[in-house]
Amino acid sequence: MKMLGAILAGGESRRFGSAKADAILDGRKLVDHVAEALRHDCDALVICGRTHPKIFRLEDRPTAGLGPLGGLCAALIHGRDSGFDAVLSAPCDAPNLPAGLLLLLSQGGPTAYVADHPVVGLWPCALADRLLSHLEQNGDRSLRNWARAAEAAAIGLPQPISNINTPDDLAAIQRRCAL
């Protein structure tokens, strides 16, 4: 199966106060932690909603400002049009993605997401037109609602994935890493 890794990074980082994708953890940007984790399972990477010097950029679809679903929609369309079978998605602010993420998610079937962090998911590229229509017709931008509509399985993980929204969240993770 040909897998496209998609880093969803189009948010405004209002609670963080600056571009959290560029925040440093353990000497590297958060987005680079995510890229490294996805590279193990993916044939290629894209970043949605921002630029990165080493990763191909996609503009959110059908328009900017739709949150993670706009980035996922762009990745699914790009993946479908480029011969990929599926997209493995993750947010730019989840630096502790587990090893073997694709294997963990694929246990839920061809469409699955992490139950407590639905931005992390496995999405067949065949869903591209369905997600585009979902966004254009009803404007529902909830990833959980999209996952239900796509009949995705919710997968629990043995360890939670970090979700860094504020500088305090980052500081807490830095303290845990220092122990």
Side-chain angles (χ1 to χ4, degrees):
M1 182 182 320
K2 192 171 177 188
M3 188 66 52
L4 178 65
I7 302 170
L8 306 179
E12 296 177 16
S13 302
R14 279 183 242 135
R15 290 178 284 177
F16 197 79
S18 62
K20 63 182 168 180
D22 296 333
I24 303 297
L25 175 65
D26 199 23
R28 293 183 297 155
K29 293 179 180 182
L30 292 179
V31 69
D32 292 330
H33 285 274
V34 175
E36 181 180 327
L38 291 180
R39 276 192 185 99
H40 293 287
D41 290 322
C42 299
D43 299 293
L45 293 181
V46 294
I47 190 165
C48 305
R50 71 176 300 109
T51 59
H52 187 284
K54 297 179 182 175
I55 304 172
F56 185 75
R57 176 194 169 110
L58 296 177
E59 296 292 333
D60 291 355
R61 300 280 301 266
T63 185
L66 296 176
L69 276 185
L72 180 58
C73 186
L76 287 171
I77 291 169
H78 175 78
R80 179 200 62 203
D81 295 349
S82 301
F84 289 89
D85 297 302
V87 169
L88 181 60
S89 66
C92 67
D93 60 353
N96 68 331
L97 294 172
L101 179 61
L102 178 59
L103 179 62
L104 291 168
L105 286 170
S106 63
Q107 293 173 3
T111 311
Y113 66 97
V114 174
D116 62 353
H117 210 320
V119 179
V120 180
L122 174 62
W123 313 96
C125 291
L127 292 172
D129 290 333
R130 191 167 163 194
L131 178 52
L132 183 61
S133 177
H134 174 87
L135 287 168
E136 289 177 334
Q137 291 180 2
N138 69 19
D140 182 353
R141 300 183 311 173
S142 163
L143 228 150
R144 287 188 196 281
N145 287 345
W146 162 247
R148 279 191 286 280
E151 299 176 8
I155 303 298
L157 297 180
Q159 297 292 323
I161 295 173
S162 297
N163 185 14
I164 299 173
N165 288 311
T166 67
D168 288 342
D169 295 339
L170 180 60
I173 290 173
Q174 287 170 328
R175 283 192 298 277
R176 282 194 300 266
C177 289
L179 296 177

